[in-house]
Amino acid sequence: MFNTFPFALVAFTILSYVSGLVVPRSTAPAGWDDSLEPYDTYHTRYLALDCQQKHGTPFFDECCHPLSATQSLETLPSQCTPPTATTIANIPTASPNEDDLECDEDDDGTTTIPSSAPVSEPSETSSPKKNTAQLNTGGFATFFYQNGNAGACGTVHGESDLIAAMDYRRYGNLNVKSDLCGRKIKITNPSNHKSVVVTVADACPTCRNANSIDLSVGAFKRIANLDQGIVGINWSYV
């Protein structure tokens, strides 16, 4: 595919270099422009096709790279089309122990989350608009790079700032500032009992479920190693 669309290779290489992780995040990484299909569309198809488990295969080369903005799936082999309409939130996966979650790295340096990462139903024991310390479980933490972009709450942050992007089901309308902006959240990784308090500054349209949170690099490093990519979490408002 890259022989036909060399500009897609350039954009995808930039994406790999800048973002490091192809994981659910609030905005497309720098380098993703109008010459490519929407980032959410590509990312959803990538997970639906289980591309993270097929690195270095002919299937990966044929099906797992972004399309150009004018290209349709019909131009690719039939195996490149997911069997059913799939969204990030309902991709069926197995459920291993959280400690077994690992990340794979592509030849181009892109790290992706494993398809075996569980997508469990969250336990919602608190309302996002109430000041409560009740615990929310069943979610997952990922991380994203700021790249100098303002989040959905309208503020620009650095990589070391302790901020978070809330799942869109909690955040609300992604085009306006949410009541959650500025809220403090305590997040704990139950596998190592490390915690961090973050401030809501963005929205995450591709998080796995309502209790999943996308963290800044600095916040994620407080509870896990970056090479893990995704970890199970418990959290509450503070």
Side-chain angles (χ1 to χ4, degrees):
M1 170 183 168
F2 282 3
N3 291 333
T4 306
F5 299 100
F7 58 87
L9 173 59
V10 173
F12 190 73
T13 300
I14 295 174
L15 165 66
S16 302
Y17 173 76
V18 175
S19 69
L21 287 174
V22 182
V23 294
R25 49 164 295 148
S26 56
T27 58
W32 200 279
D33 55 36
D34 293 340
S35 66
L36 298 174
E37 64 180 325
Y39 174 76
D40 290 348
T41 300
Y42 164 66
H43 183 62
T44 299
R45 186 175 72 256
Y46 187 99
L47 292 183
L49 292 174
D50 201 24
C51 289
Q52 62 270 29
Q53 300 297 329
K54 299 172 181 176
H55 304 167
T57 66
F59 181 91
F60 190 94
D61 291 336
E62 290 180 340
C63 304
C64 296
H65 296 297
L67 302 179
S68 71
T70 58
Q71 187 182 15
S72 66
L73 278 176
E74 285 71 20
T75 63
L76 301 181
S78 59
Q79 63 181 349
C80 299
T81 301
T84 58
T86 309
T87 63
I88 293 292
N90 65 15
I91 294 174
T93 58
S95 299
N97 294 328
E98 291 168 353
D99 292 341
D100 294 333
L101 293 178
E102 297 179 353
C103 293
D104 297 323
E105 183 168 314
D106 293 353
D107 293 337
D108 60 8
T110 301
T111 306
T112 56
I113 60 174
S115 63
S116 57
V119 182
S120 59
E121 289 299 321
S123 171
E124 299 196 29
T125 57
S126 66
S127 168
K129 295 186 180 180
K130 294 182 180 179
N131 188 14
T132 174
Q134 288 184 305
L135 196 64
N136 295 280
T137 63
F140 300 90
T142 50
F143 72 87
F144 66 105
Y145 289 87
Q146 305 306 309
N147 296 325
N149 298 319
C153 294
T155 55
V156 177
H157 290 274
E159 307 299 347
S160 61
D161 292 348
L162 302 182
I163 61 166
M166 296 299 289
D167 178 80
Y168 71 95
R169 282 155 286 213
R170 287 182 177 273
Y171 184 90
N173 187 344
L174 300 182
N175 296 316
V176 299
K177 186 175 180 179
S178 170
D179 291 341
L180 291 178
C181 292
R183 291 292 300 271
K184 300 288 186 180
I185 297 174
K186 181 179 181 180
I187 301 172
T188 300
N189 179 348
S191 68
N192 60 18
H193 306 293
K194 293 183 178 180
S195 298
V196 63
V197 175
V198 297
T199 301
V200 177
D202 208 341
C204 178
T206 54
C207 281
R208 287 177 172 266
N209 57 39
N211 282 349
S212 294
I213 301 177
D214 210 9
L215 299 176
S216 64
V217 171
F220 191 91
K221 288 169 68 174
R222 294 288 185 93
I223 63 171
N225 296 324
L226 293 185
D227 58 6
Q228 289 179 266
I230 180 171
V231 294
I233 55 171
N234 301 325
W235 61 271
S236 60
Y237 294 100
V238 295

